[in-house]
Amino acid sequence: MAAGASISAQLHALKSLSNVHADSEPLKKPFTRPSLIFDPKAAADVDLDTILNISLSGLEVLIDKEERFRNYSNDLFSYKSKELDRELVGIEDNVGINASISSYLRLLSGYLELSSAVNTLEYLIRRYKVHVYNAEELILCALPYHETHVFVQIVQLINTGNSRWKFLDGVKASGAPLPRHVIVQQCIRDMGVLEAICNYAAPVKKIHPSKVVTGFCTAVVFEVLRLVTIDSDVVKRILPYLNSGLQPGAKGSNQKAGALIIVTLLAQKVALAPNVVKSLTRSIADIVRADANESADLQCVRMSFMTLINFIQLQSVLIIPRKSLDVLSGIRDIMGILLGLTKDYNIDKFLAVFLDSLLEHSFSDDLCHSTLLSMIETIPMKGHVNHIVSKLLNMCMRISLDKNYLASSESGSRARKILASIHKQYQFELGGAMHRVLKDAKMKSKKDSSSYDVLCKIFNGILDLSNGISDLKILFALEHPEVEVRRSVLSCLDVDSIMTEKAAGSKKFVAIQDAILRQLYDDDLNVVLAVLNLKSLSEIISSSLLIEALQHVIQRCNDILLSSSLNNTSQPCDAAVLCLQQLIMSFKDLEEYSSRLAMAIFPLILIRPKTWRLNLKALELAKVLKWSLFRESCQPFWPREEIRTWTDIFG
């Protein structure tokens, strides 16, 4: 721009042989002058002093609203400036003039709806010819006011030439305000327009864009992103604006809110490059921390946190980068904020990623470890227990290549603390997670032949078991992948010690109870039979859960009997019969369960060849039930088509 001004000055000097001074009137008075506040013909009769006084009055009004305008009273609007002709000054002076005009127009862009602001522009047009030499910055200053008459006036003063602003010639011709959708469409056709708008809305040195500018930019960017297929070029154009809005120290919540909205839309529409995801994750995390630690506005904190959550969930982030994780872990009352969000939104995917990320560094970092423990104890995460336990144990197995690791390292201690915290909150889920891990194929391979012992060492100390069940290996043996181990430990259980723990209201009892209950759903009937042969089973397992489990076993065994050969019925029949006996003997006198018992027996009173032993036992036990249908009639029902088969069996 300065070089262009210098060339113009040389041409002007050659043509002006009289070398007219800047503050003198031309030899021939022009018929019109460019103006925003006067008719062009009337403006020709208004001298420079009058224009300056009008502008200084407007500047005083602006200073009352924004003190930074005072900086320009002795600069652009000084009385000395009347003597300046920028077409005759050198490059260095023009650079300084351009810098002052640029900063002033950026500051003015927040106040252009005021007549006082328009009055100050009048002097810049007359003295500095900003409509000629600073046309783009003047357009950008006025563009947020595209639906006003002032914007039309400014555009009509500018020669857009072949620049990217040539589309504004329609405004010059029609004199009508410019609808925003026209600007949006032009941004789509020419990304340079979008980039110019975004750059203008980003802070420059100490100059921060006004709410009007950032609001306009946000609206345009948002509409463009909704209408285009987003690629790397689009992202590159808007990224500077986003980054400036996501700076914790950035002034103006309007720009920050706009940036957060745009980030959310971006995350919804396109998978961003990994480096962009990493950068934006860190920026948003910084915003969340700044809001949480400095702002008293909880709604503001929740909005920024939900932006981060949505961004991570929509971009399928697997692990939060370490620096971003440290920022999040340092947020004041992060668990309270997360707890509140879990009540209003589904953030399970984010919680899983956050947990994974904390766990990844929990063995080596104090902050991550303490944050993870706090999260387990505070945030409802029943559905995440299996994943946490699985990942934790796999990490331990990898590190356990060091033979002394579990015995002496701090990492082993931290693993046990994490599992202890899970056990405290989610005992039943922990047992189920252990079961699934132990059944994993990797845990059965020869490579991991010592994995069971390693796991027992990891878990050792989680429960302070005593007396007959003092060895924690009982719990793990009940989840062992080998059938014989599970069956054997059930056969050797000290039920009296278990009942003592129950009487004491111990959590140790709950752990054993849950483990035994799961064995009724074991894939191998040998294990199920071992459970059914335990004495006091109905006292170990709560009535409702036991009835449900026994019904499950009966149905399973009945299905096996019906689908198997007549020579392979002993084991399922024995198991089903034991279930029936357990049901009747334990609950026959409890009237609240009579209907459930009747429903369990009713399908079995129809005698069939493959299930006749079970059917007869069901009929026998049905007689002792206090249920009217069974008291009045317990005769077997023989389908006609099965009479011949029945006769063959019994002769």
Side-chain angles (χ1 to χ4, degrees), residues 51-74:
I51 298 296
L52 178 57
N53 289 331
I54 291 172
S55 294
L56 286 174
S57 296
L59 189 64
E60 286 300 319
V61 175
L62 293 177
I63 291 172
D64 288 341
K65 295 181 177 296
E66 170 57 70
E67 183 62 27
R68 284 180 295 172
F69 280 109
R70 189 180 300 279
N71 299 330
Y72 301 94
S73 59
N74 294 319

Side-chain angles (χ1 to χ4, degrees), residues 190-201:
D190 181 359
M191 283 292 164
V193 175
L194 177 66
E195 185 174 15
I197 292 172
C198 288
N199 289 341
Y200 196 76

Side-chain angles (χ1 to χ4, degrees), residues 353-368:
V353 174
F354 193 30
L355 283 166
D356 262 8
S357 306
L358 291 170
L359 191 53
E360 193 73 24
H361 302 287
S362 187
F363 287 0
S364 58
D365 184 84
D366 291 341
L367 183 58
C368 287

Side-chain angles (χ1 to χ4, degrees), residues 185-320:
Q185 288 300 324
Q186 186 61 29
C187 287
I188 294 172
R189 285 190 291 267
D190 181 359
M191 283 292 164
V193 175
L194 177 66
E195 185 174 15
I197 292 172
C198 288
N199 289 341
Y200 196 76
V204 177
K205 297 181 180 178
K206 295 182 179 181
I207 304 172
H208 295 275
S210 66
K211 290 183 178 181
V212 176
V213 173
T214 55
F216 166 72
C217 180
T218 298
V220 170
V221 172
F222 187 84
E223 291 183 28
V224 169
L225 294 182
R226 284 198 309 112
L227 296 173
V228 301
T229 300
I230 301 173
D231 56 21
S232 58
D233 183 53
V234 176
V235 175
K236 181 181 70 175
R237 308 275 186 173
I238 67 173
L239 205 53
Y241 174 65
L242 287 182
N243 287 333
S244 65
L246 296 176
Q247 296 301 314
K251 295 183 179 179
S253 59
N254 193 56
Q255 186 184 5
K256 180 184 73 176
L260 294 176
I261 291 170
I262 293 170
V263 165
T264 301
L265 181 60
L266 265 181
Q268 289 174 345
K269 292 202 65 177
V270 66
L272 298 167
N275 62 317
V276 176
V277 172
K278 184 177 181 180
S279 172
L280 289 177
T281 299
R282 173 62 187 275
S283 295
I284 304 170
D286 284 335
I287 287 288
V288 175
R289 180 173 63 179
D291 286 347
N293 294 350
E294 300 169 11
S295 174
D297 185 355
L298 180 59
Q299 194 60 35
C300 178
V301 176
R302 284 166 61 92
M303 185 186 81
S304 55
F305 213 145
M306 276 307 301
T307 301
L308 178 66
I309 290 170
N310 283 328
F311 185 75
I312 287 175
Q313 293 187 155
L314 291 168
Q315 288 296 298
S316 299
V317 175
L318 299 179
I319 291 291
I320 298 172

